[in-house]
Amino acid sequence: MADTNPADQAADGVAKLYLDEVTGEHVSKTELKKRTKTRERDAAKKEKAATKGPAQTSQKSAESAEKDLTPNQYFEIRSRIVSDLHSQGKAYPHKFEVTYDIRNFADEFKHLKNGETAKEKTIQLGGRIFVRRSAGSKLFFYDLRSDNARLQILAQADNADPNAPSFEEQHVNLRRGDIVGVRGYPTRTNPQKKQGEGEYSGELSIAATEVILLSPCLHQIPDDHYGFKNPEQRFRQRYLDLMINEKARNILITRSKIDSYIRRYFDDRGFIHVQTPMLNTIAGGATAKPFMTHHNDLNMDMYLRVAPELYLKQLVVGGLNRIYELGRQFRNEGMDLTHNPEFTTCEFYMAYADMYDIMNMTEELVSGLVKAVTGGYVTTYHTAKGEERKINWEAPWRRIEMIPSLEELTGEKFPPSEELHTAETGEFFKKVLAKTGVECPPPLTNPRMLDALVGHFLEDQCINPTFIHGHPQMMSPLAKSDRNKPGLCERFEAFVSQKEICNAYTELNVASEQRLRFEEQARQKDQGDDEAQMIDETFCRALEHALPPTGGWGMGVDRMVMFLTDNWSIREVLAFPTMKPESHGPAAVAE
């Protein structure tokens, strides 16, 4: 989007636009001034170069000369040419019939020998030009890419369709980055054999009878040699990143395979996929800070969901005994290498199951997923610090009981589990934090202090997949009390390479107890914990209609993709990660 200055605003608040006579675009006054200055500066450079005399000016083709242009110069010249082509009906056709999948070409025609053709096989395909080479005015070679595959296009005047536009007209205006349609037939080129070399194979190609400009690229795109590597620009121009970097495309392809496997796993076991609201009147289902928005017609504030849990359990109350949802959540919290404000989770709920059933299912689902996507159970992962870790995902996984393990590692005897929520225990946790040097950001509530100790002493042990279980009730307002240990609940978290990947409970289905848990969360919110949950009376009322014994589970899909594609930054596995807008001055608008 062009820059907009407040002075350019009309009385009705709509930005005034001015005609750029060079490109034909309508842009803001600020943007037009910027373009005019850039053109004047480029013209001055060109005039200065001309004064050096013809002796220093090499004879270059139009395409070669374009390499010396600035990005702005290239865009303006290319825009004028494309505008003329479009006005003549020689660009931007509405349709081109693609009849062949470029990914099958290498296998289907590998039998062709040097110099052989298969003229009986007419092929029409589309793709983007990444390399353009010429051998005179009658022979061009193109490197065409589409669907993560590459293919050489051999365009020779002798092969041109006499009913098509002239050979020169077809090729004179094609440039790197253009989308083209190609008609032709398979062939294998005759390689140029150098003296002293043995026999080697020519390159499988399409002998083009016609090349049609479908959609011109108006900008110079990065070449293969220098690439497109700047992280900030890669994520801001994601289309260009995916165009140039094969690894970026493969990550999103792997992500799709992960999503598909998860869906198949649950579908095959009788689960149904459901969709629950993104806009909530109560930000519930997880301990997290929500985004707030406003509904104009209802004149009320609402929240983007932090988790779908409360809705999903209401569906179980309604008789949908096996359900899952794969979808987006939104949390108004910090951004770092493993957290993005919007992210994807999978949650499932299974009536007549408990935490221990879900723990076994987690091992089965995740280890099977890893095997299906990578071909084995052992993967390699590199941390942000460059440390290489071999992770074995094969079941069974290690299991750590929280409180006994912390007592062993801190050398302190913890208060009884039913007293972990008291003020006295809060003072105890503060002493343990001081003794061990573990930091906990305020507010220093009991759950936050205990969570800090768990993160320091237990999560750091979890390289291979590991279950941590035996959580206090105060940390788990939606989990059912442990059947054997008062003060604890039936909950587990799974960690891999020191990062949580999933969280699960035997679900609390006692309405009166659930209300008390929500009230405890409200007290924590009064103490300054803005991530604590609110009281959801609608959910409590649903529980009063009887939720069967139920096991529930949630997994962060983005984090699984990070592990299985060996990426330590979550931005790499999101198609469009959240970015701070670029600033082009005080009146700038994010592009």
Side-chain angles (χ1 to χ4, degrees), residues 48-92:
K48 183 177 180 181
T51 60
K52 295 181 178 180
Q56 298 184 30
T57 304
S58 61
Q59 296 298 318
K60 299 180 180 180
S61 68
E63 188 176 2
S64 298
E66 287 171 359
K67 295 180 180 179
D68 297 329
L69 298 176
T70 67
N72 282 331
Q73 288 174 327
Y74 182 92
F75 173 73
E76 292 184 0
I77 292 172
R78 184 72 171 148
S79 295
R80 285 196 295 267
I81 293 172
V82 169
S83 180
D84 289 342
L85 291 173
H86 185 36
S87 65
Q88 299 170 41
K90 297 178 181 179
Y92 301 113

Side-chain angles (χ1 to χ4, degrees), residues 434-455:
K435 171 188 172 182
T436 58
V438 176
E439 294 185 3
C440 177
L444 297 181
T445 61
N446 290 16
R448 291 174 68 92
M449 290 188 285
L450 181 56
D451 190 55
L453 291 170
V454 170

Side-chain angles (χ1 to χ4, degrees), residues 287 402-403 406 414 429 433 438-441 445-459 468 471-472 474-475 491 493 495 500 531:
T287 304
M402 181 184 291
I403 301 301
L406 284 177
F414 279 47
F429 284 148
L433 290 173
V438 176
E439 294 185 3
C440 177
T445 61
N446 290 16
R448 291 174 68 92
M449 290 188 285
L450 181 56
D451 190 55
L453 291 170
V454 170
H456 180 80
F457 287 104
L458 302 186
E459 293 174 16
I468 297 177
H471 295 64
M474 64 178 182
M475 299 178 74
R491 173 189 178 187
E493 295 174 285
F495 288 85
E500 178 192 344
E531 295 183 354

